[in-house]
Amino acid sequence: MNSIFTNPPPSFTKIKIKKVLISEFNISGTVKSLYSDRDQNFFITTKEKKYILKIYNTAEKKETIELQDTATRYIRNRDPQILVPLTVDYKTVENKGKSFDLQLLDFIEGDFLNKKSMTINDYKDMGVFIGRLSKALLGFDHQAAHRIFEWDCKQINIIANNLRFVNTNNKKNIILYFLNQYKNNVIPIKENLRMAVIHNDGNDHNIIIDNKHKTFGIIDFGDIVYSFQIIESAVAIAYIYLNNENPFEEICSFLKGYQLSFELNKAELKSIVYFMCLRICMTATMSAWRKKLFPKNKYLTISEVPAWSALDKLSKINLSQLSDDIIKNVQ
């Protein structure tokens, strides 16, 4: 079945974009290509303002685009200090016989968090921010968020299905180990895990620091989904784990900050390590799958090596003990 993960991304040229900006949005300026996995993004600079122009994959559903737009406006209304990319204008454009949805977005000034040399206090601040994001999304719902989505950690059948693209039995067994850990330790308590619409991609490449006000902002709502609330923080600590050699202190600092803004219950804290592992499993198996579809896209494998390294390390750790140690340090 055709999806945003199997369908090639848009391939508009800069010349075409300049023409589209004038004809559809009545603006002109410089155009810079930005990386995007399954869509196409451009940084637009005019004399008056800066924008992001997003061209959606033709396989993206219109209701999912509406979901992202509605969620960002909801967040801005609930917590105006959280910087999110708001829609300026929206158009549908024909190119090479296909119809594309284009979204002109406000540009958020600042630096990405991955450019910052992080201290323990910075991880705590990051946790406070992601907790605020969870709080801002409380009560939000949209029909399009209730979807089966490849980057939703609770979709363990998708992880299992993508095992066929993993090239060694050892790696397959590692993934199966974490799937069993989840089944044995989280499934029995899942009734105590809250459900919510979550951003689902709170990593340091999506979090922005406003240099003037030291305010956090967040972009890229393409993975937004209705799932377990705990996955919001589990995704964040998964990336913290990937980016640090000895991440225990950093993870605990993040969770302490998160708890200041959004308190997790006992079952959620107990399950977070297992969801962290599932997110890393998804990173590894999605890379194995999609690099076969798009072998020229080197970005698809950028996290593959650190993901397998992390999974190998985590497979040798007593996850139940790690979970207990995190709870003791966070509460």
Side-chain angles (χ1 to χ4, degrees):
M1 186 180 72
N2 195 34
S3 77
I4 55 174
F5 297 105
T6 59
N7 196 55
S11 56
F12 280 63
T13 64
K14 290 182 183 179
I15 294 173
K16 177 66 175 178
I17 290 301
K18 286 186 176 183
K19 292 179 180 178
V20 167
L21 287 172
I22 295 171
S23 65
E24 301 296 329
F25 299 102
N26 197 30
I27 61 174
S28 62
T30 61
V31 176
K32 179 183 177 182
S33 296
L34 301 174
Y35 172 76
S36 181
D37 175 13
R38 53 192 189 254
D39 305 311
Q40 193 177 18
N41 291 330
F42 294 93
F43 176 46
I44 312 298
T45 305
T46 70
K47 290 181 179 180
E48 297 81 20
K49 203 173 176 183
K50 297 174 183 176
Y51 304 94
I52 296 295
L53 180 67
K54 187 177 189 69
I55 307 173
Y56 284 94
N57 193 300
T58 53
E60 187 67 272
K61 297 177 180 177
K62 289 188 183 293
E63 55 262 37
T64 305
I65 300 172
E66 182 191 76
L67 160 65
Q68 296 174 49
D69 187 41
T70 308
T72 53
R73 285 189 278 110
Y74 187 90
I75 292 165
R76 177 57 63 88
N77 288 333
R78 290 286 302 271
D79 190 339
Q81 290 187 325
I82 296 179
L83 306 177
V84 289
L86 297 178
T87 301
V88 176
D89 204 351
Y90 177 90
K91 301 287 184 179
T92 301
V93 173
E94 296 292 323
N95 188 43
K96 296 179 181 178
K98 293 183 178 180
S99 181
F100 292 87
D101 293 308
L102 277 63
Q103 195 173 22
L104 192 67
L105 300 159
D106 280 326
F107 175 74
I108 301 174
E109 294 280 359
D111 293 322
F112 287 108
L113 196 60
N114 70 310
K115 301 294 184 183
K116 182 178 176 64
S117 180
M118 297 282 283
T119 66
I120 288 298
N121 284 334
D122 289 329
Y123 283 106
K124 185 176 181 180
D125 289 343
M126 178 184 172
V128 169
F129 169 72
I130 297 295
R132 280 176 58 196
L133 180 65
S134 294
K135 189 174 182 180
L137 278 168
L138 273 178
F140 176 75
D141 203 3
H142 193 288
Q143 185 177 351
H146 297 255
R147 54 177 173 158
I148 296 175
F149 185 62
E150 283 83 347
W151 281 106
D152 180 4
C153 289
K154 79 174 189 298
Q155 301 294 343
I156 58 173
N157 289 339
I158 292 177
I159 299 176
N161 186 56
N162 284 339
L163 273 179
R164 59 200 165 117
F165 302 109
V166 175
N167 57 13
T168 71
N169 287 331
N170 180 56
K171 288 180 176 179
K172 289 179 181 179
N173 288 333
I174 287 175
I175 299 295
L176 290 171
Y177 166 76
F178 290 112
L179 292 178
N180 286 328
Q181 286 288 308
Y182 172 78
K183 290 173 184 176
N184 293 335
N185 294 280
V186 178
I187 294 296
I189 62 172
K190 73 172 186 175
E191 299 303 320
N192 296 316
L193 304 179
R194 289 171 290 180
M195 303 291 291
V197 176
I198 58 173
H199 175 276
N200 195 36
D201 200 13
N203 68 75
D204 57 2
H205 286 79
N206 286 336
I207 298 173
I208 296 174
I209 302 172
D210 184 309
N211 291 324
K212 291 182 180 179
H213 306 291
K214 300 298 180 185
T215 303
F216 281 105
I218 191 162
I219 64 167
D220 196 354
F221 282 74
D223 289 357
I224 191 169
V225 68
Y226 181 81
S227 191
F228 292 123
Q229 178 76 69
I230 189 59
I231 290 176
E232 193 77 279
S233 48
V235 167
I237 68 169
Y239 286 101
I240 292 172
Y241 194 97
L242 290 177
N243 292 335
N244 290 276
E245 203 166 311
N246 298 296
F248 180 80
E249 190 176 357
E250 287 84 357
I251 286 172
C252 289
S253 184
F254 171 89
L255 290 174
K256 285 177 183 176
Y258 187 89
Q259 292 264 87
L260 291 174
S261 297
F262 193 93
E263 190 171 357
L264 298 169
N265 65 39
K266 185 177 180 181
E268 289 167 337
L269 281 171
K270 183 69 178 175
S271 67
I272 193 168
V273 163
Y274 303 99
F275 281 115
M276 176 191 78
C277 293
L278 287 184
R279 177 65 179 209
I280 301 174
C281 285
M282 282 194 149
T283 297
T285 54
M286 286 286 281
S287 293
W289 170 38
R290 298 196 67 226
K291 72 180 182 182
K292 294 184 184 299
L293 294 173
F294 307 108
K296 293 182 180 180
N297 189 340
K298 302 302 180 184
Y299 188 88
L300 296 176
T301 59
I302 197 169
S303 298
E304 186 176 24
V305 172
W308 284 116
S309 177
L311 291 173
D312 182 62
K313 184 178 177 180
L314 284 162
S315 69
K316 297 177 173 66
I317 295 174
N318 184 323
L319 294 183
S320 180
Q321 185 61 55
L322 177 60
S323 179
D324 290 342
D325 289 344
I326 287 175
I327 291 172
K328 289 176 185 176
N329 278 271
V330 170
Q331 288 184 323

